[in-house]
């Protein structure tokens, strides 16, 4: 993939990446018009108050499907957090959400720490980073 400081102008990194036929693998706010990460962000969420984001774009656009069971076979699911089964509280056991999703041939679109074994998002996390001190993450 490629990681760039992108002029998103109110768009999400997913929208930015898809404009060139790619999928978003990661998103971050920059410290000051540079490639230094201030905090991780979600691929599919625009960030108000800024005209740019650090976006990491993957090789190809994600496959879209109308199948509501498209992620029903995800492994190590503790709880489903979406109707299509693609956002789950997963027993990651030291893996990042990218590693978890990749094991099923999927790409991570978002990662969060949960409040308490539920689907309530405590804070946004980076798809490519395992989170120490927990055995699970919400992965999409």
């Amino acid at each position: 993939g490629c990681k760039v400081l992108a002029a998103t102008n109110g768009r999400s990194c997913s929208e930015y990446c898809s404009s060139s036929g790619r999928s978003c693998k990661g998103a971050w706010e920059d410290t000051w018009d540079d490639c230094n990460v201030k905090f991780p962000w979600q691929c599919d969420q625009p960030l108000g108050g800024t005209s740019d984001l650090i976006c990491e774009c993957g090789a190809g656009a994600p496959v879209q499907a109308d199948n509501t069971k498209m992620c029903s076979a995800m492994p190590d699911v503790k709880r489903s957090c979406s109707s299509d089964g693609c956002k789950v509280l997963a027993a990651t056991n030291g893996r990042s959400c990218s590693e978890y999703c990749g094991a099923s041939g999927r790409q991570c679109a978002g990662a969060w720490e949960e409040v308490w074994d539920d689907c309530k998002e405590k804070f946004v996390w980076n798809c490519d980073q395992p989170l120490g001190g927990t055995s699970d993450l919400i992965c999409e």
Side-chain angles (χ1 to χ4, degrees):
C2 57
K3 200 178 208 179
V4 297
L5 179 61
T8 50
N9 299 313
R11 296 179 299 164
S12 68
C13 280
S14 289
E15 292 169 313
Y16 171 82
C17 293
S18 69
S19 70
S20 60
R22 298 177 178 270
S23 61
C24 179
K25 292 183 67 177
W28 302 266
E29 170 60 331
D30 61 296
T31 53
W32 185 256
D33 285 340
D34 55 25
C35 288
N36 295 314
V37 173
K38 188 173 184 180
F39 55 83
W41 194 244
Q42 295 171 264
C43 280
D44 61 348
Q45 295 293 317
L47 181 60
T50 186
S51 63
D52 56 17
L53 287 168
I54 300 170
C55 299
E56 183 174 5
C57 302
V63 176
Q64 298 295 322
D66 292 329
N67 182 353
T68 57
K69 300 290 184 194
M70 65 186 284
C71 297
S72 61
M74 296 291 286
D76 304 317
V77 173
K78 294 173 79 174
R79 182 167 296 190
S80 179
C81 301
S82 66
S83 60
D84 65 3
C86 291
K87 186 174 185 179
V88 297
L89 177 61
T92 51
N93 299 312
R95 295 177 293 172
S96 68
C97 282
S98 286
E99 291 169 320
Y100 170 79
C101 294
S104 297
R106 296 176 171 91
Q107 284 190 323
C108 177
W112 303 265
E113 169 62 336
E114 91 286 357
V115 176
W116 184 256
D117 273 345
D118 54 23
C119 292
K120 292 183 181 134
E121 298 164 8
K122 188 173 183 180
F123 55 83
V124 176
W125 192 244
N126 182 335
C127 280
D128 298 327
Q129 298 283 324
L131 181 60
T134 185
S135 62
D136 54 18
L137 286 168
I138 297 172
C139 298
E140 183 172 25

